[in-house]
Amino acid sequence: MTLDDTIAAIATAPGAAGLAVVRVSGRDAVAIAERVVPRAALAAAPSHTLHHAWAIADSTARAGGSRGDASGATGHARENEARASDACEDETLDEVVVALFRAPRSYTREDVVEISCHGGALPARRVLDALLAAGARLAGPGEFTLRAFLNGRLDLAQAEAVADLIHAETDRARSLALAQLSGALSRRIAAIEERVTDALAEIEARVDFAEDVGGIEVPEHVVRGLSAVADELSDMLAGAAYGRAVREGVRVPLVGRPNAGKSSLFNALVGEARAIVASEPGTTRDRVSEAVEIAGVRVTLSDTAGLRDPGDAIEAEGVARAREALRGAQAIVWVVDGSRPLGAADFALAGEFAGAAVTLALNKSDLPRAADVERLRAAANGHAPRVVPVSATAGTGIDDLRRALGEALGAGGAEGAALAVGNARHAEALSEARRALDRATQAARELAPGEIVALELREALHALGAVTGRAVAEDVLDRIFGRFCVGK
Amino acid sequence: MREPSSHDGPGSESSADLTFDIVVVGAGHAGCEAAAAAARMGLSTALLTVKLDDTAKMSCNPAIGGIAKGHMVRELDALGGVMARVTDRAGIQFKTLNRGRGPAVWSPRAQCDKARYSVEMATLLESVPNLTRVSGVANHVCLERGRVAALELADGRRLACRACVITPGTFLNGLIHIGDTQVPGGRIGEHAARALSECLAELGLERGRLKTGTPPRLHRDTIDWDAMQPQPGDDPPQPLSHWTERLEVDQVLCWLTATNARTHAVIRDNLARSPLYSGQIRGTGPRYCPSLEDKVVKFPERESHRVFIEPEGRDAPEIYVNGVSTSMPAEVQLEFIRTMQGLERAEMIRPGYAVEYDFVLPHQLTHALEVKGARGLYLAGQICGTSGYEEAAVQGFMAGVNAALGLKGRPPLVLGRDQAYIGVLIDDLVTREHREPYRMFTSAAEHRLLLRADNADERLAAIGADLGLLNAAQAERVRAKYESIEREERGGTSGVATWSAEWRESFEVRARYRGYIERQRRMAERARSLEDVVLPDALWSGELGGMSHEALEKLRRWRPTTVGQASRIAGVSPSDVTVLLVHAKRHAGLAGATT
């Protein structure tokens, strides 16, 4: 890895589009681009300007640039050479618009030139070839972002958000990544770090300046403050499940006894929803799995259908299938035929719900209700299921069910999605911080010595720093001296 | 110890020349430790001081130890230093601070008889072989081919040597302020070392200026003792030294009084007369030891500040007024002193004053406290930007030990941050930026639960023995202590009942805090992994893209030798550290490729 050279790559996704952008970044970005778009006169142009120009294959460039590269990139060099030799001397490649961003006000904090070509694979490809021939090196995956990180333009959380943004499949996932990219998450965590550091200063002051500050080990207002911080982390973590759902998508099985109406409900949900991907390969046999977007989450609904064998083993088999579908599910839809009295088969499933968020679809709402909802609630003990009357055949209640499922996934909470913690690494760090804070408040309430409480707080700060990449370098003493009159 | 064999007085150059392995400049707390350690390690050592009587003077408060400082004294003692032993002989009140908190921050402190402390230290030094006391003023360090060759004195004498430890304290270009009066000097009534400071500048060392202060001293017979609250020592008293078998001392009392609205009014009315507020003083003072002026101005909401009244000796007339360091004119000092309960009729023996002095920005030192680029030249104490007797003493010891190790061709002794407060102190000094005098706090040690006063011997005695500064019996005692404790922890029956109080305390602390200590140990190991990534010096001269301008500037200035050190430099962010790791890896790769 090196930051010394100039990299180039096509920055837009492949495929038919109106425009394709080729990005160049590095110390020689301007000089290299100049040779491909000489009429843009970049050398003298100010930063943040657009220039209309013609891209040409520079006859003098040959396969220059990367040939002398000692970093073992001879493969690149040969490839560049081959491409360059395809182009005729001073051949015009495309009519382009050139955007110039001078360091440090650019994505990578290096000089960046972006060349917008006409869409389609060929023009951008030929412009890229010309840039490589002029001395740029083909960028590796994520290398622009890596440079932005290494140059201090992005912190770790932001750099990760870039990757999320690129891979976002729903609008919600995109806005979540954008929020993180803007540093909103980092800022929020920095604010939490501040409060923990303040509490630490209060405690350290009592340890190091016993004679001056005196008083009890950890004052009540500090304990209260720490509890508040722990609560805030809990809120963020509650949003984390949704954030993760948005970022990674979730699988939601529809479970219920045979004839509860799972398949028709599945069809109703899928039929009305906008399917955003085709059926997953390998699961098409009975069309039992389909991805839809619900509350910004890519939800792969799966029907545990196909259990039609008549016989004694039905209940046992149904439970076995459901158990498999339930394994690791974050949320489930429990389908119950509301027009029939509840049977043992209905309740047998409830024991398998484990940690999943349960949405109860009380199907066949067009018929008189015979099921006892309160017994169902009691059966799904601890899961506090949202109960939604639906009629798969009449098509009523489907929107309500979708909304309830979205809520079960965590959407619409106070946290909203704007600041949800979508990244597993972040969620882990935050829960580590919360555990440390819980231990700290616990220790304080048990009147543990200050340096024990301080140990927990330092661990919490260490965990929080893992999200933003900021270490606990904060000078606690600065705060002590700012607030207390200490010293002999 | 022997007196110099010939002393022909000023001007006689040839006959007065003496040759030593190591010359220590200054016989304060740093200098005494440096000289004792170097001489005991077998090097012929000279201890240079202006007046031979001035040995280990306690220029400010009459106590050794205290929070975090007491830890360092214990560590020093476990390594074979002398401060704790002298303190046990000169102490008049012993107290473990922070007893109400956890054992990691229990800190021993002893009020001392100041005069006795000097005498006891001088007596101890007398008994050290290879040590020569020399009276004189250091002017110039002579280097030859980048190595220390000699020290020139103001009277023209030249002490040939191979290493030199400079510990001038506040004497380095010292300037005393009392009101608008300014007098050059390091202590009231004494000289200032100007030439030495200039010499260090000529060596290319960047200097800064710091300020410290001391409160007025009152006359014992003019204080109304009954009007104040007595502050007794511990009963029974615990010695500071691991090697003090018995401590028999008739302890004295300290006393507590406080400032009040009238005191603060006197300060406010006279602020313009304080050199701190008139702009006369440029040096930065310590925030943790603020002058009374600072307390009143910066904390206007506080109606009262505690003031401890401490005797400077068992019979000495001087009484130290702890908490009212000031540089106000003498008459203002007397006026505000007399506003306090018990001090209404007090007379001053000496006014308080502020002193400004030069220090050498310590990033120019290695972790061995050796000046980078001047082999054999070591600095210790206030010259490195610290304050406090204990901070000075431990540096003096480390500088003396490293000077000796260097001359013996052995690698320097560098203690880790998870090994000793001494390690934290020196690492903080040489890898961080300092704007005020550095004092040790327990919160500076991220592995605090491992660095207790009760286990200093476990952590460091083996090193002291290896240096030859502890004898075989001492090393054996420590070994036996921890062997017994560990046997007991495994469920053995070594008979706790027969143990000394010291052993029992160690055992109980370990039992009570086992879980936390274990966690702290794991955290320390985690930190070590970063600490151990070595940054080759060649890295700093090469291209280092991808770092913030500030970080790059700082790194080139400090030239840290490990990633851990780099990460502690202010202005170096974790993302800079990440980049640094990348560069270090690349550098290692290149180095690997060329070999």
Side-chain angles (χ1 to χ4, degrees), chain A residues 62-198:
Chain A
R62 287 297 159 215
S66 44
R67 181 186 282 167
D69 190 345
S71 65
T74 46
H76 283 309
R78 222 172 292 126
E79 199 182 337
N80 296 345
E81 206 166 353
R83 286 183 189 167
S85 60
D86 285 348
C88 298
E89 293 190 358
D90 276 347
E91 182 196 357
T92 300
L93 302 173
D94 194 11
E95 184 181 12
V96 297
V97 174
V98 182
L100 172 64
F101 307 91
R102 291 190 185 278
R105 292 174 56 213
S106 75
Y107 178 66
T108 56
R109 280 206 174 154
E110 301 172 334
D111 283 345
V112 168
V113 178
E114 291 183 355
I115 303 174
S116 299
C117 314
H118 285 104
L122 204 59
R125 176 72 185 265
R126 296 184 72 179
V127 168
L128 175 63
D129 287 342
L131 288 165
L132 298 179
R137 172 172 65 78
L138 187 63
E143 198 169 352
F144 289 103
T145 303
L146 179 67
R147 285 187 176 204
F149 171 65
L150 291 181
N151 288 328
R153 159 89 159 63
L154 303 174
D155 68 21
L156 204 52
Q158 289 173 317
E160 284 172 330
V162 172
D164 289 350
L165 189 59
I166 292 165
H167 296 112
E169 283 181 329
T170 65
D171 285 343
R172 188 53 104 190
R174 210 162 289 129
S175 65
L176 179 59
L178 277 172
Q180 186 172 326
L181 181 59
S182 74
L185 177 70
S186 307
R187 275 198 301 280
R188 176 145 182 208
I189 291 176
I192 289 178
E193 282 177 323
E194 281 282 298
R195 289 159 66 189
V196 177
T197 310
D198 277 345

Side-chain angles (χ1 to χ4, degrees), chain A residues 150 204 208 211 451 456 469 487, chain B residues 102 288 306 443 448 519 546 574:
Chain A
L150 291 181
E204 294 290 9
D208 269 336
E211 289 194 332
E451 75 276 13
E456 305 293 4
Chain B
Y288 48 80
R306 301 169 98 184
S443 53
R448 174 164 62 188
R519 259 173 68 200

Side-chain angles (χ1 to χ4, degrees), chain A residues 1-4 27 149-152 204 206-212 214-217 439 443 449-452 454-456 458-459 462 469-471 473 475 477-478 480-488, chain B residues 60-61 67 97-98 101-105 109 287-290 295 299 302 305-306 308 320 322-323 432 436 439 441-443 448-449 513 516 519-520 523 526 543 545-547 574-575 578-579 582-583 586:
Chain A
M1 219 240 20
T2 167
L3 290 167
D4 304 341
R27 185 184 305 170
F149 171 65
L150 291 181
N151 288 328
E204 294 290 9
R206 284 166 177 77
V207 172
D208 269 336
F209 303 95
E211 289 194 332
D212 307 280
I216 50 168
E217 209 61 13
R439 287 196 303 269
E451 75 276 13
I452 296 295
L455 170 78
E456 305 293 4
R458 285 176 189 267
E459 283 215 6
H462 185 83
R470 208 174 77 168
D475 194 352
L477 289 173
D478 278 342
I480 295 176
F481 297 134
R483 196 163 330 151
F484 300 101
C485 178
V486 291
K488 53 186 179 179
Chain B
C60 194
N61 64 322
I67 296 171
L97 305 182
N98 259 344
R101 299 188 160 76
V105 296
R109 183 188 67 188
R287 288 176 300 174
Y288 48 80
C289 184
K295 290 182 184 185
F299 299 92
R302 288 276 299 262
H305 298 276
R306 301 169 98 184
F308 291 93
Y320 184 87
N322 195 337
R432 302 182 84 160
E436 64 179 324
R439 173 190 152 178
F441 300 104
T442 71
S443 53
R448 174 164 62 188
L449 299 190
Y513 289 88
Y516 290 109
R519 259 173 68 200
Q520 186 94 83
M523 283 165 83
R526 211 161 59 196
E543 188 81 10
M547 248 177 277
S575 101
T578 310
V579 179
V582 171
H583 285 297
R586 229 177 89 211

